[in-house]
Amino acid sequence: MDDQPDAAGAGTTTRDGDAVSASGAALPRRPAPATGPGVFPQLFLAVLCGGYATGAAFGWGSARMAKVMGDFGLSGAACLAAISCFWYGRTHGTRFRPAWLLFAASSAMAGFGNAIWGWYEVVLRSDVPATSPADFCFLLFAPPAIIGLLVLARRPVTRAGWVCLALDSWLIGGSLLTLSWSLALAHTAHFAGEAVAHVALSLAYPLLDIVLVSMVLALHFRRSSANRSAINTAIAALALTVLCDALFTSPLLRVHYRSGQILDAGWFAGYMLMAYAPWVAREGNGETAGGRGRPVPQNAGRPIAGSLAALTPYLAAAVCTLGILYNVLDGHHVDRVVLFTGCTVVLALVVRQGIMLLDNISLTQELAQKENHFRSLVQGSSDVIMIAAPTGILRYVSPAAAGVYGRDAEELVGSELASLIHPEDLGRVVHEVRRFLAAPPSEEPATRIECRFRSGNGEWLNVESTVNRHHGGLIFNSRDVTERVRLQAQLQHTAEHDPLTDLPNRALFTKRVQQALSGRRVTDAGTAVLFIDLDGFKAVNDTVGHQAGDELLVQAARRLQDSVRAGDSTARFGGDEFAALILGDGTRDPAAREYRILEIADRLRVTLSQPYLVEGGTEVRVAASIGVAFAEPGITPGTLMRNADLAMYRAKQAGKGRVELYAPQMQDDVVRRAELATRLRTALHDGQFALLHQPVVDLATGRITAVSAQARWRSAQGILFTPDEFLRVAERDRTDETVRTAELGRWTLEKAAEQAARRCAAGHPVPVHVRLPAARLVDKSLPAKDIEALILRHDLPSGSLVLELTGSDPRLPLDELERRLVSLRRFGVRVALDGFGSGYAAMSALRRLPIDVLKLDRGLVDGVAESARLHKITAGLLRIATDLGMESVAEGVDGPEQVRALRAMGCTHGQGLAFAGALDEHRLRHALDSGPYTLPNDQANEGQQVLVGGALPVRSGAVGGPGALAHAPLRSNNETPVPPA
């Protein structure tokens, strides 16, 4: 693994300690990594080795104890090293795992060899043979260690590197072999009288040690950067072991060697160092379980180590040459082994020098090619590439700066980076640079910074830069994103503002309300929200056009903005709904606060109600309904805006064109209406409605000529209520009200037609009146062919269905309604106009629509017997119906005096409690079978109650006799007892 210098760490040491000048960022000094297991294990190891050395120096007290400690003590230390390396290799899956397993095998061989040696000396109490199994174990110590060192070495990346590594190893080994052969090995090789095996073993020890020393020296300059402390400890352990082996191989020391002497202390220390090596500085050197931990960065500059690494082969050749010269100059005979080895060392040096020369030429060409390639990329890039020194001075700027910044690269080189950044952005940039340099490079190799940069003409450009580390400084890869920033700002503005009036929309207004409630103004008493609705705006769209409506909204928005203070906010929520946020002035007096806000709201109302000049110079007028809600402690923006909305709708309900202040009972009303709406929706879906019929009686004969269908809601207490109250609960939500009214009307029409068909089949072909809003006949809630399909499905005779048109909206398209009614009349449907006499709309409908029946409004019938003025009005309306040849039906006829008065005026039919209330199907059939009702005489005696109202009439005498009808006590027309099952 190649060394990976830490640019951030290398750049922390500058002359003044700063990475940017006084206005810039300072490169922080990174904390030192962990240092391993700690001082205690090292101290324990030193004490243990020192104790062994002390015992060896003083002979352990006895010769036998010396042999035990010299043989089995070394065996135990070697076995401990083997177990330690093996355990670490098995439990830690690093890329150096094979090396530690090989070191375990090497230490195990040494342990076995010392154990065999102790078997002879301690157990058998005999001299160790010249050639014993212990010698083979000691020979097997070196090969696994050599292979393990190769695993630890930094692997070359090219074939020439491998060749140079082999040549370097031979240069070191050949030099050592030459020197060792000249001093001692030649004497060993020519020692007379020794067996061949013993001579071979005698030469094998030093030769393997020479190879091991060569690998140790070569590895010292080529070791991997990962877990360096552990590798150094392992190398030191092997070096100490090899040194003791070399001393043991010396003929002078070997003759006098005895187990347990001071030489054994060296082997003991080497084995203990090997046992400690895998565990040293593991955390600090980044060797993780996965083998991909962050390596500890090397020192940025290691000139001495680099020089020694380059000079090692030449120093080895020099040692070899000096050895030969020493023999020649001293007059000694030059051994052929020394001569051959020296020649091969020189040849290896020449070959290595040639390979390195060719490799350097190739690397130089490749470097020049890559440099040209990257120079072309940098100079041709549209992005500006800048390199800043640790002091913040720009050392390099690519030529693209002329096109992006409008400034030549030469002009920017040498300037301070901090002087080019906008002062408002400089603090944020410095903070981000410091945070980036403090982060580990492996976790965050780059960061992104966006700031404003001074251009050549003095303008500020929005620049986005990718920042990387570079030899203690920074590399900035920058691009101009001014247009993107402007587009983002435009999109943000569009997302938060109304496209027509350019006022803030609901989202931005809600955000500002949140800021007012949670920011520094949270303690400002008197903050309020105003909801504004333009009354009559829909009429402007319908009469003048939508273009004029848009111009009106723009002018209203301008008036609204001009009428509030600079710190207040306005918004348009859509349609003709606006809002304003009035910040409090700190007034603590509630009355003063309320007076101030209501004064502002009333001024807005007056301003928005002034005439508007729209397209074509047309003057239009609208009013403004305003709801006001104050911000109370702990209130949320949604609740505050909802309160203002409720107050605004209350202002519209109270007559429009006014200001209404929110009160808590408004929310209670909303909750009540919501509960009623839920109950109505449940009743519609669960089939809790029943259909009753009220007879329509001929005032001349008393016969039932028709019935009026009326829907009732069956409560849990068994009472049937009219749905009028429930149909008004959604008056704030017209869409929901229309949906529920349409659903109930569709059910009433279907049920009435079904029961009418059954009565016809039973011999009672009386028409049924069904109330239907006129607007429903021309909208999509009732498809054009539904009523026709209903008549055909139930096979109703002509005239069996009478539609009572309700509603008095003057904007109703009478032409379309007329076409619809003419189409229905072809299917035998008759048309009744309900509420006749109640307004202009009824008279317009009478003039335009094909009407068969006129139903007098209940307000005309209630006082017709007491009020002479009302009597004349009702009589005039009845004359109109008579002149037009239409039937007339008086609704709400509850007493005999009303019957006599209406009959005298020419009214043909009556409906009310004077005859019967709303009846279920069973009682309606009974009334139809019982014949006509008895009508009061025109000269009835005062005090004689001929007719009394009731839900269920009970006949008590012959038809036509006095007192023919007697009824139960009167019951409200909105309440009817549950009919019997």
Side-chain angles (χ1 to χ4, degrees):
M1 180 184 296
D2 294 336
D3 294 345
Q4 300 178 5
D6 189 346
T12 57
T13 305
T14 59
R15 187 175 58 186
D16 54 0
D18 292 336
V20 181
S21 60
S23 57
L27 297 179
R29 185 177 299 275
R30 297 185 54 195
T35 56
V39 180
F40 179 75
Q42 300 174 2
L43 183 61
F44 176 77
L45 183 65
V47 171
L48 186 63
C49 295
Y52 191 95
T54 302
F58 291 98
W60 296 104
S62 65
R64 182 173 180 80
M65 178 58 67
K67 291 182 180 180
V68 170
M69 296 303 298
D71 296 335
F72 292 109
L74 292 183
S75 177
C79 290
L80 179 62
I83 294 173
S84 175
C85 294
F86 180 79
W87 180 259
Y88 184 84
R90 292 285 296 177
T91 57
H92 294 75
T94 68
R95 74 178 187 89
F96 300 126
R97 177 181 178 182
W100 297 115
L101 294 178
L102 289 169
F103 290 152
S106 176
S107 300
M109 291 296 103
F112 292 155
N114 283 289
I116 295 172
W117 198 284
W119 175 265
Y120 281 106
E121 286 190 337
V122 178
V123 178
L124 299 181
R125 296 186 179 183
S126 63
D127 294 334
V128 180
T131 303
S132 67
D135 294 322
F136 295 98
C137 291
F138 290 141
L139 286 176
L140 292 178
F141 165 80
I146 294 171
I147 300 174
L149 289 174
L150 289 175
V151 173
L152 291 179
R154 188 176 59 197
R155 298 182 179 88
V157 295
T158 61
R159 184 179 301 175
W162 284 104
V163 174
C164 288
L165 177 62
L167 292 176
D168 290 345
S169 300
W170 171 244
L171 286 172
I172 298 172
S175 300
L176 294 176
L177 178 61
T178 302
L179 187 61
S180 301
W181 189 274
S182 300
L183 296 178
L185 295 183
H187 174 73
T188 302
H190 295 88
F191 191 75
E194 294 287 345
V196 177
H198 179 70
V199 173
L201 285 175
S202 300
L203 292 177
Y205 281 131
L207 291 178
L208 288 176
D209 286 341
I210 289 172
V211 174
L212 196 55
V213 169
S214 302
M215 294 303 304
V216 167
L217 292 176
L219 180 62
H220 177 71
F221 301 109
R222 290 181 175 269
R223 62 189 182 278
S224 174
S225 60
N227 205 2
R228 179 167 297 170
S229 298
I231 296 176
N232 287 339
T233 305
I235 292 176
L238 292 175
L240 186 57
T241 304
V242 169
L243 177 62
C244 293
D245 287 344
L247 294 175
F248 175 77
T249 306
S250 173
L252 297 177
L253 291 180
R254 186 168 185 177
V255 174
H256 304 286
Y257 170 76
R258 296 292 182 271
S259 295
Q261 293 179 350
I262 193 65
L263 186 60
D264 291 347
W267 279 313
F268 183 83
Y271 297 148
M272 296 306 297
L273 283 176
M274 183 59 73
Y276 176 69
W279 311 96
V280 62
R282 184 167 53 88
E283 292 85 356
N285 290 283
E287 187 179 342
T288 62
R292 290 188 294 270
R294 181 169 55 88
V296 174
Q298 286 182 336
N299 229 340
R302 299 186 60 192
I304 298 177
S307 301
L308 289 177
L311 293 177
T312 299
Y314 305 100
L315 292 176
V319 169
C320 180
T321 304
L322 290 176
I324 297 175
L325 290 177
Y326 169 77
N327 289 330
V328 172
L329 295 177
D330 199 32
H332 293 88
H333 174 70
V334 179
D335 194 279
R336 288 178 296 179
V337 174
V338 173
L339 183 60
F340 176 79
T341 304
C343 294
T344 55
V345 167
V346 174
L347 180 61
L349 181 62
V350 172
V351 172
R352 183 187 186 282
Q353 190 65 24
I355 293 176
M356 293 301 298
L357 181 61
L358 295 177
D359 193 39
N360 287 337
I361 294 174
S362 176
L363 289 176
T364 302
Q365 294 175 350
E366 183 179 357
L367 180 61
Q369 184 179 3
K370 289 184 177 181
E371 184 179 356
N372 293 333
H373 175 70
F374 285 107
R375 181 182 291 108
S376 300
L377 289 178
V378 170
Q379 294 180 353
S381 174
S382 59
D383 294 347
V384 180
I385 299 176
M386 301 182 297
I387 299 178
T391 57
I393 304 299
L394 293 178
R395 297 188 305 189
Y396 173 80
V397 180
S398 66
V404 176
Y405 299 147
R407 307 177 67 174
D408 293 337
E410 293 78 6
E411 179 185 351
L412 291 175
V413 173
S415 59
E416 288 189 5
L417 183 62
S419 64
L420 303 174
I421 300 175
H422 196 282
E424 296 178 1
D425 299 338
L426 182 59
R428 176 172 52 83
V429 172
V430 169
H431 174 75
E432 175 62 20
V433 168
R434 288 178 174 175
R435 185 204 61 78
F436 169 65
L437 292 177
S442 59
E443 297 179 5
E444 190 174 6
T447 187
R448 190 179 300 272
I449 296 177
E450 188 169 330
C451 63
R452 284 168 288 181
F453 200 87
R454 188 189 301 276
S455 65
N457 55 10
E459 296 181 355
W460 294 103
L461 302 176
N462 292 95
V463 175
E464 181 185 66
S465 303
T466 301
V467 185
N468 299 88
R469 300 173 179 85
H470 175 71
H471 296 303
L474 297 172
I475 297 179
F476 292 84
N477 191 348
S478 307
R479 62 200 64 86
D480 183 9
V481 293
T482 304
E483 291 300 324
R484 190 194 71 185
V485 172
R486 290 175 181 172
L487 179 60
Q488 288 177 345
Q490 180 179 354
L491 293 176
Q492 182 71 17
H493 181 86
T494 302
E496 294 182 341
H497 289 76
D498 175 58
L500 178 63
T501 63
D502 202 40
L503 288 180
N505 57 16
R506 183 184 295 270
L508 181 56
F509 185 79
T510 304
K511 186 185 300 183
R512 291 181 177 177
V513 173
Q514 175 67 38
Q515 293 172 354
L517 296 182
S518 60
R520 63 178 181 86
R521 292 188 174 272
V522 68
T523 57
D524 291 352
T527 298
V529 169
L530 280 60
F531 264 45
I532 306 165
D533 186 83
L534 301 180
D535 304 320
F537 174 73
K538 189 176 186 302
V540 175
N541 277 339
D542 295 340
T543 56
V544 188
H546 288 277
Q547 180 65 31
D550 290 345
E551 292 183 12
L552 187 151
L553 292 175
V554 173
Q555 295 181 33
R558 190 178 302 116
R559 293 183 186 181
L560 181 60
Q561 278 187 308
D562 295 340
S563 301
V564 299
R565 300 170 304 178
D568 299 332
S569 299
T570 57
R572 180 189 176 216
F573 287 173
D576 57 347
E577 288 190 351
F578 295 86
L581 172 64
I582 309 299
L583 299 177
D585 58 358
T587 303
R588 295 295 178 180
D589 185 8
R593 288 185 311 175
E594 183 175 332
Y595 176 79
R596 182 181 70 89
I597 294 297
L598 291 180
E599 184 182 19
I600 295 174
D602 193 65
R603 185 173 70 247
L604 288 176
R605 181 190 63 80
V606 173
T607 302
L608 295 174
S609 299
Q610 297 296 322
Y612 296 85
L613 285 178
V614 294
E615 184 180 10
T618 305
E619 182 180 288
V620 294
R621 289 177 177 269
V622 293
S625 295
I626 302 178
V628 180
F630 283 98
E632 302 296 338
I635 195 171
T636 62
T639 303
L640 179 60
M641 295 169 64
R642 181 207 63 191
N643 294 345
D645 194 13
L646 291 176
M648 184 267 289
Y649 275 104
R650 179 59 61 90
K652 294 179 72 68
Q653 293 172 0
K656 301 181 179 180
R658 55 184 293 140
V659 177
E660 194 75 27
L661 185 62
Y662 170 78
Q665 58 266 25
M666 295 181 184
Q667 179 61 25
D668 298 336
D669 293 341
V670 171
V671 174
R672 182 183 60 84
R673 285 194 296 265
E675 292 176 352
L676 293 176
T678 302
R679 293 171 60 189
L680 176 61
R681 190 178 298 108
T682 302
L684 287 172
H685 291 167
D686 295 350
Q688 298 179 7
F689 277 89
L691 188 66
L692 304 182
H693 296 83
Q694 188 173 27
V696 178
V697 179
D698 190 334
L699 297 182
T701 63
R703 291 186 306 104
I704 300 176
T705 59
V707 293
S708 178
Q710 298 178 6
R712 295 290 188 269
W713 173 66
R714 188 187 307 274
S715 70
Q717 293 76 22
I719 302 298
L720 298 176
F721 291 96
T722 62
D724 297 341
E725 180 183 10
F726 302 100
L727 296 179
R728 289 194 297 269
V729 300
E731 55 193 6
R732 291 182 65 247
D733 191 351
R734 299 296 181 185
T735 302
D736 191 45
E737 178 189 8
T738 302
V739 171
R740 289 200 298 275
T741 305
E743 187 176 352
L744 180 60
R746 196 160 39 244
W747 178 87
T748 302
L749 185 61
E750 174 71 28
K751 202 71 175 177
E754 178 184 347
Q755 294 186 7
R758 293 178 182 175
R759 284 192 295 272
C760 289
H764 300 292
V766 290
V768 59
H769 289 230
V770 180
R771 287 190 176 185
L772 191 68
R776 284 203 56 214
L777 288 173
V778 295
D779 66 14
K780 297 180 180 179
S781 63
L782 186 67
K785 299 300 181 181
D786 272 15
I787 299 178
E788 292 89 335
L790 183 67
I791 295 173
L792 296 176
R793 184 165 66 252
H794 294 288
D795 195 19
L796 291 177
S798 178
S800 298
L801 179 61
V802 181
L803 296 180
E804 295 182 2
L805 300 182
T806 62
S808 58
D809 190 353
R811 295 171 295 179
L812 194 66
L814 293 181
D815 294 337
E816 186 176 352
L817 180 60
E818 182 181 5
R819 289 193 297 269
R820 184 79 176 98
L821 293 177
V822 170
S823 175
L824 290 173
R825 284 171 63 88
R826 297 193 186 102
F827 283 81
V829 177
R830 302 177 68 203
V831 181
L833 183 60
D834 188 39
F836 181 65
S838 62
Y840 169 79
M843 300 303 295
S844 300
L846 183 62
R847 180 173 58 88
R848 296 283 304 274
L849 302 179
I851 304 299
D852 300 301
V853 180
L854 290 178
K855 295 194 71 174
L856 290 179
D857 187 75
R858 181 183 292 271
L860 299 175
V861 177
D862 285 343
V864 71
E866 294 85 6
S867 173
R869 186 181 183 88
L870 190 59
H871 186 281
K872 291 180 180 181
I873 296 175
T874 305
L877 294 175
L878 289 173
R879 279 195 299 272
I880 293 176
T882 303
D883 294 341
L884 293 177
M886 299 179 183
E887 293 181 2
S888 56
V889 178
E891 188 177 8
V893 181
D894 296 336
E897 66 280 358
Q898 294 173 339
V899 176
R900 286 193 292 267
L902 291 170
R903 185 170 56 189
M905 294 177 194
C907 183
T908 59
H909 296 79
Q911 172 186 344
L913 294 179
F915 308 105
L919 306 175
D920 59 50
E921 189 66 21
H922 173 75
R923 295 178 183 181
L924 178 61
R925 297 271 183 103
H926 178 70
L928 291 173
D929 291 336
S930 300
Y933 289 98
T934 301
L935 300 177
N937 295 327
D938 291 337
Q939 296 83 16
N941 295 328
E942 185 178 355
Q944 181 182 5
Q945 185 176 359
V946 180
L947 290 175
V948 291
L952 297 175
V954 180
R955 302 182 185 275
S956 58
V959 176
L965 293 176
H967 295 53
L970 291 178
R971 186 180 297 270
S972 170
N973 192 42
N974 292 340
E975 184 178 328
T976 306
V978 179

